[in-house]
Amino acid sequence: RKEVEQDPGPFNVPEGATVAFNCTYSNSASQSFFWYRQDCRKEPKLLMSVYSSGNEDGRFTAQLNRASQYISLLIRDSKLSDSATYLCVVNILWSNTGKLIFGQGTTLQVKP
Amino acid sequence: EPEVTQTPSHQVTQMGQEVILHCVPISNHLYFYWYRQILGQKVEFLVSFYNNEISEKSEIFDDQFSVERPDGSNFTLKIRSTKLEDSAMYFCASRPGTGTEKLFFGSGTQLSVL
């Protein structure tokens, strides 16, 4: 089983749509959770951390379900500029180096 | 915002040649990393470096790979004898060490092995 699993997509949505991405992780000792954004051939950039209580940053809402080992990202009112690959990322508790485990990413294409 | 700087942005080499990828992490950061991403695949951890030594490495990081922090500012990744399958985007990253788990990534070096 993959350590971090995502639906690769692509998700093709019109501007203004709401879109949700899901992610599952296999290691129950995972400590920290993140969503990164990656544009084509560019470096990953932190979008937001994910907390157990759920957290929101503008149009973006992240949720974590530790019992199900499941993370989600909701994007409301999609913009053309949201087109990118969204990476689900976890930090394993026993890795005290801060090593991040990346999912393969979900590609979002927002169309006019 | 401070940046992690990587050079060169593109590197083309012949199979069997040695390459050195260069990174200048953010100056007050304590943890340093190399990740790679083969085209169309996920970002993969290679190695972490702290207190002037490797703190963790992946199965990918075999004897052909080495890292150095020679002068307190640069952080290099050396591949001794490149293989075709080493072709990838290599990302350097750093983080302060305390207070945040956020990694700051460089813009990457695209390595092409011919």
Side-chain angles (χ1 to χ4, degrees), chain A residues 3-40:
Chain A
E3 290 182 283
V4 179
E5 198 148 2
Q6 299 181 247
D7 179 350
F11 284 58
N12 294 301
V13 303
E15 265 188 296
T18 296
V19 61
F21 304 137
N22 303 319
C23 166
T24 56
Y25 59 94
S26 60
N27 193 324
S28 59
S30 298
Q31 177 184 28
S32 305
F33 310 89
F34 311 91
W35 284 101
Y36 275 72
R37 170 191 169 130
Q38 186 176 32
D39 293 285
C40 188

PDB file of all heavy atoms in Angstrom, chain A residues 3-40:
ATOM      1  N   GLU A   3       2.294   4.875   0.839  1.00  0.00           N
ATOM      2  CA  GLU A   3       2.289   5.617   2.106  1.00  0.00           C
ATOM      3  C   GLU A   3       1.270   6.754   2.092  1.00  0.00           C
ATOM      4  O   GLU A   3       0.607   7.012   3.112  1.00  0.00           O
ATOM      5  CB  GLU A   3       3.687   6.159   2.374  1.00  0.00           C
ATOM      6  CG  GLU A   3       4.701   5.073   2.722  1.00  0.00           C
ATOM      7  CD  GLU A   3       6.059   5.641   3.032  1.00  0.00           C
ATOM      8  OE1 GLU A   3       6.764   6.006   2.071  1.00  0.00           O
ATOM      9  OE2 GLU A   3       6.416   5.705   4.222  1.00  0.00           O
ATOM     10  N   VAL A   4       1.199   7.437   0.981  1.00  0.00           N
ATOM     11  CA  VAL A   4       0.235   8.525   0.830  1.00  0.00           C
ATOM     12  C   VAL A   4      -0.424   8.347  -0.538  1.00  0.00           C
ATOM     13  O   VAL A   4       0.277   8.299  -1.552  1.00  0.00           O
ATOM     14  CB  VAL A   4       0.904   9.914   0.912  1.00  0.00           C
ATOM     15  CG1 VAL A   4      -0.125  11.013   0.731  1.00  0.00           C
ATOM     16  CG2 VAL A   4       1.636  10.070   2.242  1.00  0.00           C
ATOM     17  N   GLU A   5      -1.719   8.239  -0.533  1.00  0.00           N
ATOM     18  CA  GLU A   5      -2.426   7.920  -1.769  1.00  0.00           C
ATOM     19  C   GLU A   5      -3.431   9.014  -2.122  1.00  0.00           C
ATOM     20  O   GLU A   5      -4.210   9.445  -1.256  1.00  0.00           O
ATOM     21  CB  GLU A   5      -3.142   6.577  -1.620  1.00  0.00           C
ATOM     22  CG  GLU A   5      -3.533   5.931  -2.927  1.00  0.00           C
ATOM     23  CD  GLU A   5      -3.497   4.415  -2.859  1.00  0.00           C
ATOM     24  OE1 GLU A   5      -3.204   3.848  -1.788  1.00  0.00           O
ATOM     25  OE2 GLU A   5      -3.760   3.789  -3.899  1.00  0.00           O
ATOM     26  N   GLN A   6      -3.381   9.421  -3.377  1.00  0.00           N
ATOM     27  CA  GLN A   6      -4.301  10.439  -3.877  1.00  0.00           C
ATOM     28  C   GLN A   6      -4.856  10.003  -5.222  1.00  0.00           C
ATOM     29  O   GLN A   6      -4.180   9.293  -5.981  1.00  0.00           O
ATOM     30  CB  GLN A   6      -3.583  11.777  -4.111  1.00  0.00           C
ATOM     31  CG  GLN A   6      -2.954  12.408  -2.910  1.00  0.00           C
ATOM     32  CD  GLN A   6      -2.295  13.729  -3.279  1.00  0.00           C
ATOM     33  OE1 GLN A   6      -1.080  13.852  -3.232  1.00  0.00           O
ATOM     34  NE2 GLN A   6      -3.112  14.721  -3.632  1.00  0.00           N
ATOM     35  N   ASP A   7      -6.042  10.473  -5.538  1.00  0.00           N
ATOM     36  CA  ASP A   7      -6.600  10.315  -6.865  1.00  0.00           C
ATOM     37  C   ASP A   7      -5.864  11.291  -7.777  1.00  0.00           C
ATOM     38  O   ASP A   7      -5.894  12.487  -7.542  1.00  0.00           O
ATOM     39  CB  ASP A   7      -8.095  10.648  -6.832  1.00  0.00           C
ATOM     40  CG  ASP A   7      -8.755  10.533  -8.198  1.00  0.00           C
ATOM     41  OD1 ASP A   7      -8.038  10.389  -9.215  1.00  0.00           O
ATOM     42  OD2 ASP A   7      -9.997  10.585  -8.251  1.00  0.00           O
ATOM     43  N   PRO A   8      -5.175  10.796  -8.815  1.00  0.00           N
ATOM     44  CA  PRO A   8      -4.358  11.709  -9.634  1.00  0.00           C
ATOM     45  C   PRO A   8      -5.170  12.684 -10.480  1.00  0.00           C
ATOM     46  O   PRO A   8      -4.640  13.692 -10.935  1.00  0.00           O
ATOM     47  CB  PRO A   8      -3.556  10.757 -10.517  1.00  0.00           C
ATOM     48  CG  PRO A   8      -4.364   9.515 -10.563  1.00  0.00           C
ATOM     49  CD  PRO A   8      -5.060   9.401  -9.243  1.00  0.00           C
ATOM     50  N   GLY A   9      -6.474  12.372 -10.677  1.00  0.00           N
ATOM     51  CA  GLY A   9      -7.289  13.247 -11.517  1.00  0.00           C
ATOM     52  C   GLY A   9      -6.989  12.978 -12.991  1.00  0.00           C
ATOM     53  O   GLY A   9      -6.656  11.854 -13.352  1.00  0.00           O
ATOM     54  N   PRO A  10      -7.075  13.958 -13.871  1.00  0.00           N
ATOM     55  CA  PRO A  10      -7.286  15.374 -13.537  1.00  0.00           C
ATOM     56  C   PRO A  10      -8.744  15.697 -13.225  1.00  0.00           C
ATOM     57  O   PRO A  10      -9.650  15.024 -13.676  1.00  0.00           O
ATOM     58  CB  PRO A  10      -6.838  16.093 -14.814  1.00  0.00           C
ATOM     59  CG  PRO A  10      -7.132  15.105 -15.903  1.00  0.00           C
ATOM     60  CD  PRO A  10      -6.897  13.741 -15.309  1.00  0.00           C
ATOM     61  N   PHE A  11      -8.893  16.722 -12.416  1.00  0.00           N
ATOM     62  CA  PHE A  11     -10.188  17.291 -12.138  1.00  0.00           C
ATOM     63  C   PHE A  11     -10.335  18.526 -13.035  1.00  0.00           C
ATOM     64  O   PHE A  11      -9.549  19.447 -12.933  1.00  0.00           O
ATOM     65  CB  PHE A  11     -10.305  17.718 -10.667  1.00  0.00           C
ATOM     66  CG  PHE A  11     -10.502  16.580  -9.709  1.00  0.00           C
ATOM     67  CD1 PHE A  11      -9.584  15.549  -9.621  1.00  0.00           C
ATOM     68  CD2 PHE A  11     -11.613  16.537  -8.873  1.00  0.00           C
ATOM     69  CE1 PHE A  11      -9.759  14.492  -8.733  1.00  0.00           C
ATOM     70  CE2 PHE A  11     -11.796  15.487  -7.979  1.00  0.00           C
ATOM     71  CZ  PHE A  11     -10.873  14.473  -7.913  1.00  0.00           C
ATOM     72  N   ASN A  12     -11.306  18.490 -13.903  1.00  0.00           N
ATOM     73  CA  ASN A  12     -11.573  19.626 -14.790  1.00  0.00           C
ATOM     74  C   ASN A  12     -12.857  20.291 -14.328  1.00  0.00           C
ATOM     75  O   ASN A  12     -13.925  19.668 -14.359  1.00  0.00           O
ATOM     76  CB  ASN A  12     -11.715  19.162 -16.238  1.00  0.00           C
ATOM     77  CG  ASN A  12     -10.412  18.602 -16.773  1.00  0.00           C
ATOM     78  OD1 ASN A  12      -9.406  19.298 -16.808  1.00  0.00           O
ATOM     79  ND2 ASN A  12     -10.425  17.353 -17.184  1.00  0.00           N
ATOM     80  N   VAL A  13     -12.764  21.525 -13.858  1.00  0.00           N
ATOM     81  CA  VAL A  13     -13.932  22.203 -13.312  1.00  0.00           C
ATOM     82  C   VAL A  13     -14.042  23.590 -13.905  1.00  0.00           C
ATOM     83  O   VAL A  13     -13.045  24.180 -14.314  1.00  0.00           O
ATOM     84  CB  VAL A  13     -13.853  22.299 -11.770  1.00  0.00           C
ATOM     85  CG1 VAL A  13     -13.713  20.907 -11.151  1.00  0.00           C
ATOM     86  CG2 VAL A  13     -12.743  23.205 -11.316  1.00  0.00           C
ATOM     87  N   PRO A  14     -15.251  24.143 -13.954  1.00  0.00           N
ATOM     88  CA  PRO A  14     -15.403  25.520 -14.432  1.00  0.00           C
ATOM     89  C   PRO A  14     -15.068  26.503 -13.319  1.00  0.00           C
ATOM     90  O   PRO A  14     -15.128  26.183 -12.126  1.00  0.00           O
ATOM     91  CB  PRO A  14     -16.892  25.589 -14.793  1.00  0.00           C
ATOM     92  CG  PRO A  14     -17.536  24.587 -13.904  1.00  0.00           C
ATOM     93  CD  PRO A  14     -16.529  23.490 -13.691  1.00  0.00           C
ATOM     94  N   GLU A  15     -14.719  27.688 -13.727  1.00  0.00           N
ATOM     95  CA  GLU A  15     -14.496  28.764 -12.751  1.00  0.00           C
ATOM     96  C   GLU A  15     -15.702  28.887 -11.827  1.00  0.00           C
ATOM     97  O   GLU A  15     -16.855  28.777 -12.270  1.00  0.00           O
ATOM     98  CB  GLU A  15     -14.354  30.101 -13.495  1.00  0.00           C
ATOM     99  CG  GLU A  15     -12.947  30.499 -13.795  1.00  0.00           C
ATOM    100  CD  GLU A  15     -12.879  31.918 -14.350  1.00  0.00           C
ATOM    101  OE1 GLU A  15     -13.432  32.127 -15.454  1.00  0.00           O
ATOM    102  OE2 GLU A  15     -12.312  32.776 -13.678  1.00  0.00           O
ATOM    103  N   GLY A  16     -15.421  29.103 -10.565  1.00  0.00           N
ATOM    104  CA  GLY A  16     -16.501  29.289  -9.598  1.00  0.00           C
ATOM    105  C   GLY A  16     -16.972  28.001  -8.945  1.00  0.00           C
ATOM    106  O   GLY A  16     -17.724  28.044  -7.963  1.00  0.00           O
ATOM    107  N   ALA A  17     -16.522  26.876  -9.461  1.00  0.00           N
ATOM    108  CA  ALA A  17     -16.955  25.591  -8.900  1.00  0.00           C
ATOM    109  C   ALA A  17     -16.276  25.320  -7.566  1.00  0.00           C
ATOM    110  O   ALA A  17     -15.238  25.903  -7.238  1.00  0.00           O
ATOM    111  CB  ALA A  17     -16.635  24.467  -9.881  1.00  0.00           C
ATOM    112  N   THR A  18     -16.887  24.426  -6.814  1.00  0.00           N
ATOM    113  CA  THR A  18     -16.276  23.898  -5.598  1.00  0.00           C
ATOM    114  C   THR A  18     -15.735  22.512  -5.910  1.00  0.00           C
ATOM    115  O   THR A  18     -16.420  21.701  -6.541  1.00  0.00           O
ATOM    116  CB  THR A  18     -17.307  23.820  -4.469  1.00  0.00           C
ATOM    117  OG1 THR A  18     -17.740  25.144  -4.135  1.00  0.00           O
ATOM    118  CG2 THR A  18     -16.710  23.161  -3.237  1.00  0.00           C
ATOM    119  N   VAL A  19     -14.510  22.261  -5.487  1.00  0.00           N
ATOM    120  CA  VAL A  19     -13.891  20.976  -5.782  1.00  0.00           C
ATOM    121  C   VAL A  19     -13.230  20.444  -4.512  1.00  0.00           C
ATOM    122  O   VAL A  19     -12.733  21.222  -3.688  1.00  0.00           O
ATOM    123  CB  VAL A  19     -12.870  21.119  -6.934  1.00  0.00           C
ATOM    124  CG1 VAL A  19     -11.750  22.067  -6.572  1.00  0.00           C
ATOM    125  CG2 VAL A  19     -12.340  19.768  -7.361  1.00  0.00           C
ATOM    126  N   ALA A  20     -13.281  19.140  -4.353  1.00  0.00           N
ATOM    127  CA  ALA A  20     -12.712  18.505  -3.160  1.00  0.00           C
ATOM    128  C   ALA A  20     -11.725  17.422  -3.559  1.00  0.00           C
ATOM    129  O   ALA A  20     -12.001  16.639  -4.470  1.00  0.00           O
ATOM    130  CB  ALA A  20     -13.822  17.912  -2.295  1.00  0.00           C
ATOM    131  N   PHE A  21     -10.606  17.408  -2.845  1.00  0.00           N
ATOM    132  CA  PHE A  21      -9.590  16.380  -3.050  1.00  0.00           C
ATOM    133  C   PHE A  21      -9.459  15.560  -1.782  1.00  0.00           C
ATOM    134  O   PHE A  21      -9.527  16.103  -0.669  1.00  0.00           O
ATOM    135  CB  PHE A  21      -8.220  17.008  -3.344  1.00  0.00           C
ATOM    136  CG  PHE A  21      -8.209  17.941  -4.504  1.00  0.00           C
ATOM    137  CD1 PHE A  21      -7.525  19.137  -4.439  1.00  0.00           C
ATOM    138  CD2 PHE A  21      -8.889  17.639  -5.676  1.00  0.00           C
ATOM    139  CE1 PHE A  21      -7.504  20.016  -5.497  1.00  0.00           C
ATOM    140  CE2 PHE A  21      -8.873  18.503  -6.747  1.00  0.00           C
ATOM    141  CZ  PHE A  21      -8.178  19.708  -6.658  1.00  0.00           C
ATOM    142  N   ASN A  22      -9.212  14.285  -1.978  1.00  0.00           N
ATOM    143  CA  ASN A  22      -9.054  13.389  -0.845  1.00  0.00           C
ATOM    144  C   ASN A  22      -7.689  12.736  -0.859  1.00  0.00           C
ATOM    145  O   ASN A  22      -7.053  12.613  -1.917  1.00  0.00           O
ATOM    146  CB  ASN A  22     -10.124  12.302  -0.889  1.00  0.00           C
ATOM    147  CG  ASN A  22     -11.512  12.882  -0.908  1.00  0.00           C
ATOM    148  OD1 ASN A  22     -11.787  13.838  -0.200  1.00  0.00           O
ATOM    149  ND2 ASN A  22     -12.379  12.319  -1.733  1.00  0.00           N
ATOM    150  N   CYS A  23      -7.287  12.280   0.310  1.00  0.00           N
ATOM    151  CA  CYS A  23      -5.981  11.664   0.457  1.00  0.00           C
ATOM    152  C   CYS A  23      -6.060  10.685   1.623  1.00  0.00           C
ATOM    153  O   CYS A  23      -6.713  10.971   2.639  1.00  0.00           O
ATOM    154  CB  CYS A  23      -4.960  12.776   0.747  1.00  0.00           C
ATOM    155  SG  CYS A  23      -3.365  12.234   1.346  1.00  0.00           S
ATOM    156  N   THR A  24      -5.418   9.534   1.477  1.00  0.00           N
ATOM    157  CA  THR A  24      -5.316   8.605   2.597  1.00  0.00           C
ATOM    158  C   THR A  24      -3.846   8.318   2.858  1.00  0.00           C
ATOM    159  O   THR A  24      -3.022   8.360   1.937  1.00  0.00           O
ATOM    160  CB  THR A  24      -6.052   7.281   2.319  1.00  0.00           C
ATOM    161  OG1 THR A  24      -5.539   6.705   1.108  1.00  0.00           O
ATOM    162  CG2 THR A  24      -7.545   7.496   2.186  1.00  0.00           C
ATOM    163  N   TYR A  25      -3.532   8.049   4.112  1.00  0.00           N
ATOM    164  CA  TYR A  25      -2.156   7.724   4.468  1.00  0.00           C
ATOM    165  C   TYR A  25      -2.141   6.415   5.242  1.00  0.00           C
ATOM    166  O   TYR A  25      -3.096   6.079   5.933  1.00  0.00           O
ATOM    167  CB  TYR A  25      -1.510   8.867   5.264  1.00  0.00           C
ATOM    168  CG  TYR A  25      -2.207   9.231   6.551  1.00  0.00           C
ATOM    169  CD1 TYR A  25      -1.819   8.687   7.770  1.00  0.00           C
ATOM    170  CD2 TYR A  25      -3.254  10.158   6.547  1.00  0.00           C
ATOM    171  CE1 TYR A  25      -2.456   9.033   8.945  1.00  0.00           C
ATOM    172  CE2 TYR A  25      -3.893  10.500   7.720  1.00  0.00           C
ATOM    173  CZ  TYR A  25      -3.492   9.940   8.910  1.00  0.00           C
ATOM    174  OH  TYR A  25      -4.141  10.272  10.084  1.00  0.00           O
ATOM    175  N   SER A  26      -1.050   5.690   5.108  1.00  0.00           N
ATOM    176  CA  SER A  26      -1.029   4.319   5.636  1.00  0.00           C
ATOM    177  C   SER A  26      -0.424   4.220   7.034  1.00  0.00           C
ATOM    178  O   SER A  26      -0.742   3.293   7.783  1.00  0.00           O
ATOM    179  CB  SER A  26      -0.271   3.404   4.685  1.00  0.00           C
ATOM    180  OG  SER A  26       1.066   3.846   4.537  1.00  0.00           O
ATOM    181  N   ASN A  27       0.439   5.157   7.395  1.00  0.00           N
ATOM    182  CA  ASN A  27       1.150   5.035   8.662  1.00  0.00           C
ATOM    183  C   ASN A  27       0.394   5.773   9.765  1.00  0.00           C
ATOM    184  O   ASN A  27       0.301   6.996   9.755  1.00  0.00           O
ATOM    185  CB  ASN A  27       2.560   5.599   8.515  1.00  0.00           C
ATOM    186  CG  ASN A  27       3.457   5.228   9.691  1.00  0.00           C
ATOM    187  OD1 ASN A  27       2.992   5.159  10.825  1.00  0.00           O
ATOM    188  ND2 ASN A  27       4.722   4.995   9.422  1.00  0.00           N
ATOM    189  N   SER A  28      -0.130   5.010  10.707  1.00  0.00           N
ATOM    190  CA  SER A  28      -0.934   5.612  11.778  1.00  0.00           C
ATOM    191  C   SER A  28      -0.096   6.497  12.701  1.00  0.00           C
ATOM    192  O   SER A  28      -0.640   7.276  13.474  1.00  0.00           O
ATOM    193  CB  SER A  28      -1.622   4.520  12.599  1.00  0.00           C
ATOM    194  OG  SER A  28      -0.661   3.653  13.169  1.00  0.00           O
ATOM    195  N   ALA A  29       1.226   6.383  12.600  1.00  0.00           N
ATOM    196  CA  ALA A  29       2.097   7.215  13.427  1.00  0.00           C
ATOM    197  C   ALA A  29       2.352   8.580  12.792  1.00  0.00           C
ATOM    198  O   ALA A  29       3.102   9.381  13.337  1.00  0.00           O
ATOM    199  CB  ALA A  29       3.434   6.502  13.651  1.00  0.00           C
ATOM    200  N   SER A  30       1.750   8.832  11.659  1.00  0.00           N
ATOM    201  CA  SER A  30       1.938  10.129  11.002  1.00  0.00           C
ATOM    202  C   SER A  30       1.535  11.246  11.943  1.00  0.00           C
ATOM    203  O   SER A  30       0.499  11.172  12.607  1.00  0.00           O
ATOM    204  CB  SER A  30       1.110  10.203   9.712  1.00  0.00           C
ATOM    205  OG  SER A  30       1.535   9.218   8.800  1.00  0.00           O
ATOM    206  N   GLN A  31       2.367  12.262  11.956  1.00  0.00           N
ATOM    207  CA  GLN A  31       2.216  13.296  12.970  1.00  0.00           C
ATOM    208  C   GLN A  31       1.642  14.596  12.430  1.00  0.00           C
ATOM    209  O   GLN A  31       0.802  15.216  13.072  1.00  0.00           O
ATOM    210  CB  GLN A  31       3.593  13.571  13.578  1.00  0.00           C
ATOM    211  CG  GLN A  31       3.632  14.666  14.607  1.00  0.00           C
ATOM    212  CD  GLN A  31       5.052  14.917  15.069  1.00  0.00           C
ATOM    213  OE1 GLN A  31       5.991  14.689  14.312  1.00  0.00           O
ATOM    214  NE2 GLN A  31       5.213  15.400  16.276  1.00  0.00           N
ATOM    215  N   SER A  32       2.150  14.996  11.285  1.00  0.00           N
ATOM    216  CA  SER A  32       1.787  16.301  10.740  1.00  0.00           C
ATOM    217  C   SER A  32       1.352  16.130   9.291  1.00  0.00           C
ATOM    218  O   SER A  32       1.853  15.253   8.589  1.00  0.00           O
ATOM    219  CB  SER A  32       2.966  17.268  10.800  1.00  0.00           C
ATOM    220  OG  SER A  32       3.468  17.356  12.117  1.00  0.00           O
ATOM    221  N   PHE A  33       0.470  17.027   8.881  1.00  0.00           N
ATOM    222  CA  PHE A  33      -0.175  16.864   7.584  1.00  0.00           C
ATOM    223  C   PHE A  33      -0.235  18.210   6.878  1.00  0.00           C
ATOM    224  O   PHE A  33      -0.455  19.246   7.518  1.00  0.00           O
ATOM    225  CB  PHE A  33      -1.587  16.290   7.773  1.00  0.00           C
ATOM    226  CG  PHE A  33      -1.599  15.076   8.659  1.00  0.00           C
ATOM    227  CD1 PHE A  33      -1.747  15.211  10.033  1.00  0.00           C
ATOM    228  CD2 PHE A  33      -1.442  13.817   8.130  1.00  0.00           C
ATOM    229  CE1 PHE A  33      -1.731  14.091  10.860  1.00  0.00           C
ATOM    230  CE2 PHE A  33      -1.423  12.698   8.944  1.00  0.00           C
ATOM    231  CZ  PHE A  33      -1.565  12.834  10.308  1.00  0.00           C
ATOM    232  N   PHE A  34      -0.045  18.158   5.571  1.00  0.00           N
ATOM    233  CA  PHE A  34       0.031  19.395   4.813  1.00  0.00           C
ATOM    234  C   PHE A  34      -0.582  19.197   3.438  1.00  0.00           C
ATOM    235  O   PHE A  34      -0.615  18.085   2.905  1.00  0.00           O
ATOM    236  CB  PHE A  34       1.499  19.811   4.615  1.00  0.00           C
ATOM    237  CG  PHE A  34       2.322  19.798   5.868  1.00  0.00           C
ATOM    238  CD1 PHE A  34       3.026  18.668   6.236  1.00  0.00           C
ATOM    239  CD2 PHE A  34       2.385  20.916   6.681  1.00  0.00           C
ATOM    240  CE1 PHE A  34       3.785  18.637   7.394  1.00  0.00           C
ATOM    241  CE2 PHE A  34       3.148  20.904   7.846  1.00  0.00           C
ATOM    242  CZ  PHE A  34       3.849  19.766   8.194  1.00  0.00           C
ATOM    243  N   TRP A  35      -1.008  20.287   2.852  1.00  0.00           N
ATOM    244  CA  TRP A  35      -1.290  20.354   1.419  1.00  0.00           C
ATOM    245  C   TRP A  35      -0.280  21.315   0.805  1.00  0.00           C
ATOM    246  O   TRP A  35      -0.115  22.438   1.277  1.00  0.00           O
ATOM    247  CB  TRP A  35      -2.711  20.838   1.146  1.00  0.00           C
ATOM    248  CG  TRP A  35      -3.749  19.795   1.393  1.00  0.00           C
ATOM    249  CD1 TRP A  35      -4.562  19.671   2.478  1.00  0.00           C
ATOM    250  CD2 TRP A  35      -4.099  18.714   0.518  1.00  0.00           C
ATOM    251  NE1 TRP A  35      -5.380  18.584   2.344  1.00  0.00           N
ATOM    252  CE2 TRP A  35      -5.122  17.973   1.137  1.00  0.00           C
ATOM    253  CE3 TRP A  35      -3.663  18.293  -0.743  1.00  0.00           C
ATOM    254  CZ2 TRP A  35      -5.704  16.843   0.562  1.00  0.00           C
ATOM    255  CZ3 TRP A  35      -4.242  17.173  -1.317  1.00  0.00           C
ATOM    256  CH2 TRP A  35      -5.248  16.454  -0.672  1.00  0.00           C
ATOM    257  N   TYR A  36       0.405  20.821  -0.212  1.00  0.00           N
ATOM    258  CA  TYR A  36       1.311  21.638  -0.994  1.00  0.00           C
ATOM    259  C   TYR A  36       0.706  21.808  -2.375  1.00  0.00           C
ATOM    260  O   TYR A  36      -0.048  20.967  -2.859  1.00  0.00           O
ATOM    261  CB  TYR A  36       2.683  20.965  -1.131  1.00  0.00           C
ATOM    262  CG  TYR A  36       3.646  21.212  -0.001  1.00  0.00           C
ATOM    263  CD1 TYR A  36       3.450  20.625   1.246  1.00  0.00           C
ATOM    264  CD2 TYR A  36       4.762  22.018  -0.171  1.00  0.00           C
ATOM    265  CE1 TYR A  36       4.341  20.840   2.292  1.00  0.00           C
ATOM    266  CE2 TYR A  36       5.668  22.242   0.857  1.00  0.00           C
ATOM    267  CZ  TYR A  36       5.448  21.645   2.087  1.00  0.00           C
ATOM    268  OH  TYR A  36       6.341  21.859   3.113  1.00  0.00           O
ATOM    269  N   ARG A  37       1.101  22.884  -3.020  1.00  0.00           N
ATOM    270  CA  ARG A  37       0.704  23.133  -4.400  1.00  0.00           C
ATOM    271  C   ARG A  37       1.960  23.088  -5.247  1.00  0.00           C
ATOM    272  O   ARG A  37       3.016  23.618  -4.864  1.00  0.00           O
ATOM    273  CB  ARG A  37       0.040  24.504  -4.485  1.00  0.00           C
ATOM    274  CG  ARG A  37      -0.205  24.962  -5.895  1.00  0.00           C
ATOM    275  CD  ARG A  37      -0.606  26.414  -5.969  1.00  0.00           C
ATOM    276  NE  ARG A  37      -0.568  26.835  -7.354  1.00  0.00           N
ATOM    277  CZ  ARG A  37      -1.549  27.474  -7.966  1.00  0.00           C
ATOM    278  NH1 ARG A  37      -2.648  27.812  -7.286  1.00  0.00           N
ATOM    279  NH2 ARG A  37      -1.452  27.822  -9.216  1.00  0.00           N
ATOM    280  N   GLN A  38       1.835  22.453  -6.429  1.00  0.00           N
ATOM    281  CA  GLN A  38       2.968  22.422  -7.342  1.00  0.00           C
ATOM    282  C   GLN A  38       2.501  22.808  -8.734  1.00  0.00           C
ATOM    283  O   GLN A  38       1.610  22.165  -9.300  1.00  0.00           O
ATOM    284  CB  GLN A  38       3.629  21.031  -7.368  1.00  0.00           C
ATOM    285  CG  GLN A  38       4.907  21.002  -8.209  1.00  0.00           C
ATOM    286  CD  GLN A  38       5.627  19.667  -8.158  1.00  0.00           C
ATOM    287  OE1 GLN A  38       5.014  18.621  -8.026  1.00  0.00           O
ATOM    288  NE2 GLN A  38       6.956  19.703  -8.255  1.00  0.00           N
ATOM    289  N   ASP A  39       3.088  23.862  -9.258  1.00  0.00           N
ATOM    290  CA  ASP A  39       2.850  24.236 -10.642  1.00  0.00           C
ATOM    291  C   ASP A  39       3.817  23.466 -11.531  1.00  0.00           C
ATOM    292  O   ASP A  39       4.867  23.003 -11.062  1.00  0.00           O
ATOM    293  CB  ASP A  39       3.012  25.750 -10.811  1.00  0.00           C
ATOM    294  CG  ASP A  39       1.916  26.498 -10.080  1.00  0.00           C
ATOM    295  OD1 ASP A  39       0.784  26.500 -10.574  1.00  0.00           O
ATOM    296  OD2 ASP A  39       2.181  27.037  -8.985  1.00  0.00           O
ATOM    297  N   CYS A  40       3.470  23.382 -12.796  1.00  0.00           N
ATOM    298  CA  CYS A  40       4.218  22.532 -13.722  1.00  0.00           C
ATOM    299  C   CYS A  40       5.717  22.833 -13.692  1.00  0.00           C
ATOM    300  O   CYS A  40       6.128  23.976 -13.924  1.00  0.00           O
ATOM    301  CB  CYS A  40       3.666  22.709 -15.136  1.00  0.00           C
ATOM    302  SG  CYS A  40       4.361  21.548 -16.310  1.00  0.00           S
TER     303      CYS A  40
END
